Amino acid sequence: MEYGKDDIITLCIDDMGIDGEGIGKLDGFTFFVKDAVIGDEVEAKVMKVKKGYAYARLMRIIRPSTDRIDPKCPYHRQCGGCQIQALDYKAQLAFKENKVRNNLNRIGGFSIELLDRVMEPAVGMKEPFYYRNKAQFPVGADKNGAPVTGFYAGRTHTIIPNTDCALGVKENKRILECLLDHMKKYEIPPYNEASGEGLVRHILIRKGFTTGEIMVCIILNGDDLPHADRLVERLIKIKGMTSISVNSNKENTNVIMGKTCRTIWGRDTICDVIHVRSVESIDAGSEMVFPGSSGITFAISPLSFYQVNPVQTEKLYSIALDYAGLTGTETVWDLYCGIGTISLFMAKKAKQVYGVEVVGQAVADARENARRNNIENARFYVGKAEEVLPDLYEREGIYADVICVDPPRKGCDAACLDTIVKMAPQRIVYVSCDSATLARDLKYLCANGYELRRVRAVDLFGQTVHVESIVLLSKLKSNKLKHINVELEMDELDLTAAESKVTYEVIKDYVLKQSGLKVSNLYIAQIKQKCGIIERTNYNLPKSENSRQPQCPAEKEQAIVAALKHFGIV
């Protein structure tokens, strides 16, 4: 049977798509119906027909699913934020876990049998509402020209007026109403995307759940907010208000934040604390933190990336720490490290942690967060992971026991993945906000010497289709016994007891403590060669005939020679 636009159909929903839309079939023809959930019997109107499938609009629910509930928010169908709020929370978790499983199977090529073994139960929320510590509200005008704020309707830039989102903190409503009153009183125009005119574009609100500190940042199509002192007088009466700033964004763009912020009252940042939780408490559904955990304090600016659900973030990072399997002897690289959240978690259990992040301000925040928490074994680099990591690997011979990646939705860059494989860490911990790109990257890594060991979905975004995933990969060990014939010269067997016990890491630690200098494996190998010590690992050799190999500076050469003498190697 053929179906056309405006046809009215009756449909049983037996699946849900990755964006939360209901899926049903008639005569083998697939229909996608927004706002329908698994188990619904619905009447729908066909809106667009493609080859083999069509989109339809929900007109009436004939028989509701046993998993359908009454949504908390009256705007849930209009607003594009909460795609599955009409679905019972347990069913939401099952949907998200299945989303991760399907992507790993279909995109990653991992068998259902393997996934049944390695996938662990999804980690849900005790309270799947009021969990967001950050919200960005667009500001516009209604039909009468009065300022309004809320959220965009799905796939549009039409604002649905709402100052009391069910996912945000209770203070949001009062802050937004203060701003709207201020704009009306002083006739301050909202920004108009079409014309590029008007002043107030967005308002950003952040709250530290542990500290109770609140930040308000007003994004302007200009430099100053008229009568800002009057608005400040009202806002500082709100309990917890800590920072009020303006951000200037004069570009004709849909990017929310501009590059510069100016504090007009209070501090430049707010603080929040993330605690380590035991995996046992997470498995048991307990909200208690790890006994004796003092937590890690983070300073958060208007431009900082910081997970929006702090309670679930503690669980996510605690699982990442568990997957890393740190004993205190490992070197860890944290790629796409942001303000150092995962890095500093790892630093508590690792020997040394290195973080890489492309946003300079985030790296400055990460360094400050390390200082604030008296963490001295974390170092941060500014740059793209796919550029910094290969450069340091080729130039300094860096290595890693564990690599942790937490990339944006697009996943890891190909050059970054290639360098990870070359560095050959024993374990890779991959934190992902998009299980489709996760599956793609895992497919590459598992084709290049790694195996999938553990997978877990963690829900940071209740009522939405989004889900975080965390994965552990381990380096494969060859089971084949290889026999190689070699010829040895007698001087190659002349390995002193000191050489056999003193590793490159020991030498590097000694040099750092004695002289304050950091030296690479390459430099140590060059100096050992100068001293007549035969190197069995080819740190000395360039990567290609045309490579220009950096030579050890004189100051570092003296420090390395002193270390070799100290350990009795020369």
Side-chain angles (χ1 to χ4, degrees), residues 253-301:
T253 174
N254 58 5
V255 175
I256 294 176
M257 302 292 288
K259 295 179 180 179
T260 59
C261 291
R262 178 170 57 85
T263 301
I264 59 176
W265 182 87
R267 300 203 316 252
D268 294 337
T269 62
I270 60 172
C271 290
D272 202 14
V273 183
I274 296 181
H275 299 86
V276 178
R277 295 171 181 250
S278 71
V279 175
E280 291 76 17
S281 72
I282 294 171
D283 291 340
S286 169
E287 296 298 318
M288 294 188 64
V289 301
F290 196 82
S293 170
S294 59
I296 300 174
T297 301
F298 293 93
I300 307 161
S301 71

Side-chain angles (χ1 to χ4, degrees), residues 493-536:
L493 299 176
D494 187 20
L495 180 67
T496 68
E499 279 186 80
S500 65
K501 293 179 181 178
V502 181
T503 65
Y504 276 63
E505 288 307 302
V506 171
I507 295 172
K508 286 196 279 189
D509 285 346
Y510 179 85
V511 170
L512 182 61
K513 290 177 183 177
Q514 296 298 315
S515 65
L517 298 173
K518 290 181 179 291
V519 296
S520 66
N521 291 354
L522 174 64
Y523 288 165
I524 296 172
Q526 288 175 349
I527 304 310
K528 289 178 78 174
Q529 187 181 44
K530 277 188 177 182
C531 294
I533 301 169
I534 296 173
E535 277 300 296
R536 291 153 188 84

Side-chain angles (χ1 to χ4, degrees), residues 114-358:
L114 172 62
L115 295 175
D116 285 342
R117 292 198 304 272
V118 301
M119 285 197 70
E120 301 168 357
V123 180
M125 305 182 205
K126 186 175 181 179
E127 172 53 86
F129 290 98
Y130 312 112
Y131 59 80
R132 288 187 64 98
N133 61 10
K134 172 187 174 183
Q136 298 173 127
F137 298 88
V139 179
D142 63 14
K143 294 178 181 179
N144 299 317
V148 295
T149 187
F151 292 102
Y152 291 127
R155 302 180 185 277
T156 75
H157 270 212
T158 300
I159 296 176
I160 306 298
N162 180 14
T163 58
D164 193 18
C165 174
L167 302 189
V169 297
K170 68 181 189 311
E171 291 89 353
N172 287 351
K173 186 175 189 294
R174 187 174 172 189
I175 292 168
L176 294 174
E177 289 174 350
C178 281
L179 177 68
L180 294 176
D181 287 347
H182 184 79
M183 292 177 67
K184 292 173 186 175
K185 182 176 181 178
Y186 295 104
E187 299 181 345
I188 300 171
Y191 179 68
N192 184 302
E193 285 187 313
S195 66
E197 298 178 346
L199 182 63
V200 182
R201 299 178 68 133
H202 279 79
I203 180 166
L204 163 71
I205 304 173
R206 308 187 89 147
K207 180 179 180 180
F209 272 37
T210 301
T211 62
E213 296 180 353
I214 296 173
M215 165 184 288
V216 174
C217 180
I218 304 161
I219 295 90
L220 303 175
N221 181 36
D223 297 313
D224 297 296
L225 180 71
H227 307 284
D229 56 331
R230 299 296 186 187
L231 178 62
V232 168
E233 287 176 4
R234 296 186 64 181
L235 291 177
I236 61 176
K237 294 177 182 178
I238 299 172
K239 183 180 178 181
M241 190 60 63
T242 304
S243 173
I244 303 174
S245 62
V246 293
N247 174 274
S248 181
N249 183 2
K250 303 175 188 177
E251 301 297 322
N252 183 16
T253 174
N254 58 5
V255 175
I256 294 176
M257 302 292 288
K259 295 179 180 179
T260 59
C261 291
R262 178 170 57 85
T263 301
I264 59 176
W265 182 87
R267 300 203 316 252
D268 294 337
T269 62
I270 60 172
C271 290
D272 202 14
V273 183
I274 296 181
H275 299 86
V276 178
R277 295 171 181 250
S278 71
V279 175
E280 291 76 17
S281 72
I282 294 171
D283 291 340
S286 169
E287 296 298 318
M288 294 188 64
V289 301
F290 196 82
S293 170
S294 59
I296 300 174
T297 301
F298 293 93
I300 307 161
S301 71
L303 297 172
S304 295
F305 171 78
Y306 188 72
Q307 290 282 11
V308 299
N309 186 330
V311 175
Q312 293 299 100
T313 295
E314 289 187 342
K315 299 174 186 177
L316 178 72
Y317 291 169
S318 296
I319 294 170
L321 186 60
D322 178 62
Y323 279 14
L326 302 177
T327 63
T329 63
E330 296 86 1
T331 294
V332 179
W333 279 82
D334 178 17
L335 311 183
Y336 312 95
C337 70
I339 63 172
T341 44
I342 294 180
S343 303
L344 301 184
F345 247 57
M346 298 284 183
K348 293 282 190 177
K349 294 287 187 72
K351 177 183 177 182
Q352 180 69 41
V353 175
Y354 299 97
V356 181
E357 169 59 46
V358 69

